[in-house]
Amino acid sequence: MSTSFLDFEKPIAELQSRIDELRETTADGGVDIGAEIAKLQVKSDKLLRDTFAKLTPWQKTQVARHPQRPHFKHYVAGLFDEFVPLAGDRAFGDDQAIMGGFARFRGQRVMVLGHEKGEDTASRLRHNFGMGKPEGYRKAIRLVELADRFGLPIVTLVDTSGAFPGIQAEERGQAEAIARSTEACLAAGVPVVAAIVGEGGSGGAVALAAGNRVLMFEHAIYSVISPEGCASILWRTSDKAADAAEAMRVTAQDLKNFGVIDTIVAEPVGGAHRDYPGAIANLGDAVERALDELTGLSRDELKRGRAAKFLAMGRL
């Protein structure tokens, strides 16, 4: 799969294009220019490292939204064994934007759930671009309560621009479903580890991210509203989205300083979309460490710690 380059990666794209052209020339039986290709590749790799070492909040937003980033199904395939998907909210239907089920994580039985955006037009429509509806959040509640009943740790993978804002979702009680999903995560008597793996947008993200430990990829974002939405409200134009992203402090680095998240998970150079195995392995190691830290705590200790963590946010 060839990598799609973002706007700010244009110099890298030009270098890579030149490298590809030279490789085609060599493959066609032309002169051996391996040394020149190697030299350009070193230059390209350095430019990639330097570029991603100083991304702006808006550039991180673009990376977090990259359509080729790993999705829920990739993390499940790479980190979990014996995954048994569970469907439906037992009230209205099955929302494919939020998926989950029983699984085994590095030898330990867990409940895993998260947002699935899809990776092509058909799957994105089927999964509603990861924007959950009330039945999706009620499915999440069902799975969280099921895990609590059986004493299984919960791992959530958050990647959504926000909950679905359609009229039908509002008619079916979107706000109430999100609130009860957040409540269910806070009330669980088992360890809850949440990971922001792409976009963490608004209440649609918090509904699955109210955990004892909140992890976040270094190029992910987490915010109460999208930068475009914020800009539209404050400046009456989405053209100010970059300024809004800067002001909102949406990056993992800022949120770690504020105590909103606990751990920043390193991504491969150039972002998770450039190295699925590396990104998935890094996340798996971080989840394992978080679960180890929570092992042995009582139900009351887990609940009290989770409540104290979220009540402390925003206090000086």
Side-chain angles (χ1 to χ4, degrees):
M1 180 177 64
S2 60
T3 301
S4 296
F5 291 92
L6 300 166
D7 289 343
F8 67 86
E9 296 180 294
K10 191 170 293 183
I12 302 168
E14 291 172 353
L15 262 178
Q16 198 59 52
S17 177
R18 177 61 179 154
I19 291 169
D20 293 341
E21 288 175 3
L22 290 175
R23 282 177 175 156
E24 286 180 9
T25 300
T26 302
D28 290 340
V31 295
D32 184 5
I33 48 178
E36 178 66 18
I37 292 174
K39 183 179 177 181
L40 286 175
Q41 190 63 60
V42 169
K43 185 177 180 181
S44 176
D45 292 343
K46 183 180 185 302
L47 184 57
L48 184 67
R49 285 195 302 272
D50 292 347
T51 299
F52 274 77
K54 53 184 180 183
L55 294 180
T56 66
W58 179 240
Q59 288 170 338
K60 282 184 177 286
T61 301
Q62 295 175 68
V63 176
R65 294 171 173 172
H66 199 292
Q68 293 176 329
R69 279 181 79 86
H71 298 297
F72 180 80
K73 73 171 191 177
H74 300 117
Y75 293 111
V76 168
L79 289 177
F80 300 91
D81 299 316
E82 302 173 23
F83 177 60
V84 180
L86 300 175
D89 66 344
R90 301 298 187 267
F92 180 83
D94 183 43
D95 180 10
Q96 298 253 323
I98 297 177
M99 306 184 70
F102 295 115
R104 191 177 293 279
F105 173 71
R106 298 185 176 179
Q108 182 178 14
R109 293 296 292 175
V110 299
M111 180 71 77
V112 58
L113 60 151
H115 302 92
E116 173 59 68
K117 285 184 170 181
E119 57 185 346
D120 54 30
T121 301
S123 63
R124 284 171 189 150
L125 290 172
R126 185 170 66 253
H127 295 290
N128 201 34
F129 299 87
M131 295 186 292
K133 298 175 182 177
E135 51 270 25
Y137 292 104
R138 291 183 179 121
K139 174 167 65 175
I141 295 166
R142 185 170 74 83
L143 268 55
V144 167
E145 292 177 346
L146 192 61
D148 191 16
R149 192 175 309 137
F150 288 102
L152 299 177
I154 299 167
V155 178
T156 68
L157 305 173
V158 177
D159 187 12
T160 181
S161 58
F164 183 60
I167 293 175
Q168 299 92 340
E170 297 298 334
E171 289 174 342
R172 295 199 294 275
Q174 182 74 289
E176 181 265 349
I178 290 172
R180 287 210 304 116
S181 180
T182 308
E183 179 187 37
C185 289
L186 290 171
V190 295
V192 181
V193 175
I196 315 297
V197 296
E199 286 185 278
S202 192
V206 176
L208 299 187
N212 298 92
R213 297 288 185 273
V214 181
L215 320 176
M216 187 171 173
F217 266 133
E218 64 173 310
H219 300 316
I221 60 168
Y222 193 18
S223 61
V224 70
I225 191 174
S226 70
E228 295 93 334
C230 176
S232 295
I233 292 171
L234 296 182
W235 291 287
R236 299 288 190 269
T237 173
S238 60
D239 293 341
K240 293 280 190 178
D243 294 331
E246 181 76 38
M248 290 166 63
R249 302 292 191 267
V250 300
T251 68
Q253 294 72 21
D254 283 326
L255 294 170
K256 178 72 164 61
N257 291 335
F258 293 147
V260 174
I261 67 166
D262 302 291
T263 302
I264 298 175
V265 181
E267 295 189 31
V269 176
H273 58 283
R274 281 188 164 86
D275 181 3
Y276 279 27
I280 291 170
N282 288 353
L283 181 64
D285 292 342
V287 170
E288 184 176 19
R289 286 192 296 271
L291 288 175
D292 287 344
E293 291 172 6
L294 299 170
T295 299
L297 296 180
S298 69
R299 293 178 62 86
D300 286 341
E301 287 173 327
L302 289 166
K303 292 180 183 181
R304 283 199 303 269
R306 203 179 299 127
K309 170 184 175 61
F310 281 85
L311 288 173
M313 290 181 186
R315 293 183 180 177
L316 298 177

